[in-house]
Amino acid sequence: MSQISSDEAALRCDTRGRVRLLTLNRPAALNAFNDDLYDAVRDALLDAAGSKDVATVVLTGEGRAFTAGQDLGELAERRRHNDGKPHGFEPFMDAVTSFPKPLLAAVNGIGVGIGLTLLPHCDLVFMAEEARVRAPFVSLGVTAEAGSTWLLPARIGWQATAHLLYTAAWMSAQEALQRGLAYRVCPLATLLEETLGVAQEIARMPIDSLVATKQLLLEAQHDALEAARQHENQSFAALRGGPANREALAAFRERRSPDFTKL
């Protein structure tokens, strides 16, 4: 095993044979995504995509969370970059949607926001028995992301998607398995071992054939997915900073329940 980045980094990247293991490593923040983490995962995916020695990638989280989603502190501050380069969520999603090799997720704990909407982009999703996922967007006064308004109905059905998005309810690992969002549910103690085992099985195959096969799978959804992402981004931008979003963020900072009844 070779290690590419230090344990102190927001993302740990390890290579195990022809499998690249990416570990979200902000456990004190429940692996919430800030721009630095989005950029680190994007760069790691681009590196793996271009490497002739990497056949597949596994994504997991350190600690008790897979990821708590967007870092709301940074979202509220609307961080600005002055280097003229793309940063954050959209370049990250571009790397995810175009990733040409098998992508596996080992969901070790809670997945909120992108911790849920990332999963339909993964070829195989393994979840710990205790893991659960949630889409909180409406409760934050915004709307869905990452093409989930197209991918989730296609994967788990319209009504299950409507319930997830409209109520911000939790979905358990077992329900995710039953609905088709997860491929396998495992004890937490064996989650990473089982995920890496399947990843290694895939990695024994010829990389060119894996890439060609995934390209065929992606082509079937490309146009619909990109249209969904564009429409979601427009709706998100229109709602962001609005009365409901401001109330949700204020309630988060003040550690209280939001009150949308007067809006």
Side-chain angles (χ1 to χ4, degrees), residues 47-256:
D47 180 77
S51 174
K52 63 181 178 59
D53 298 318
V54 176
T56 188
V57 166
V58 172
L59 182 65
T60 193
E62 180 66 33
R64 64 188 183 92
F66 178 54
T67 172
Q70 172 68 46
D71 187 318
L72 292 182
E74 186 171 277
L75 181 66
E77 294 170 2
R78 298 193 180 193
R79 179 180 175 186
R80 299 290 187 227
H81 299 273
N82 298 315
D83 58 5
K85 298 178 181 179
H87 294 276
F89 178 75
E90 282 305 312
F92 160 81
M93 282 308 308
D94 289 342
V96 169
T97 59
S98 64
F99 187 65
K101 298 173 181 178
L103 178 63
L104 285 67
V107 183
N108 54 296
I110 62 167
V112 179
I114 192 64
L116 166 61
T117 57
L118 178 64
L119 301 185
H121 292 277
C122 297
D123 298 286
L124 292 170
V125 175
F126 294 73
M127 293 183 70
E129 293 171 338
E130 303 86 348
R132 53 183 183 152
V133 293
R134 178 174 178 254
F137 309 108
V138 170
S139 70
L140 293 173
V142 287
T143 190
E145 63 176 16
S148 58
T149 53
W150 187 85
L151 283 173
L152 283 174
R155 183 68 58 88
I156 69 173
W158 181 278
Q159 293 187 85
T161 299
H163 185 258
L164 274 180
L165 295 181
Y166 296 163
T167 68
W170 288 98
M171 174 180 277
S172 70
Q174 283 298 332
E175 185 179 358
L177 179 65
Q178 293 165 3
R179 295 285 187 183
L181 183 62
Y183 171 70
R184 185 183 299 176
V185 173
C186 319
L188 178 60
T190 63
L191 172 69
L192 191 55
E193 177 186 356
E194 292 193 45
T195 308
L196 288 171
V198 174
Q200 295 286 7
E201 181 181 356
I202 295 170
R204 288 194 287 270
M205 300 298 177
I207 293 177
D208 287 348
S209 295
L210 291 172
V211 169
T213 302
K214 181 158 182 180
Q215 181 179 6
L216 292 170
L217 290 169
L218 291 177
E219 283 178 354
Q221 68 181 34
H222 178 271
D223 291 347
L225 176 58
E226 290 307 305
R229 285 183 62 197
Q230 180 179 353
H231 295 154
E232 288 168 359
N233 290 345
Q234 292 169 349
S235 294
F236 195 102
L239 291 167
R240 182 176 177 175
N245 184 224
R246 292 198 304 271
E247 165 61 13
L249 293 177
F252 173 78
R253 290 191 299 270
E254 297 163 12
R255 299 186 178 183
R256 59 175 174 81

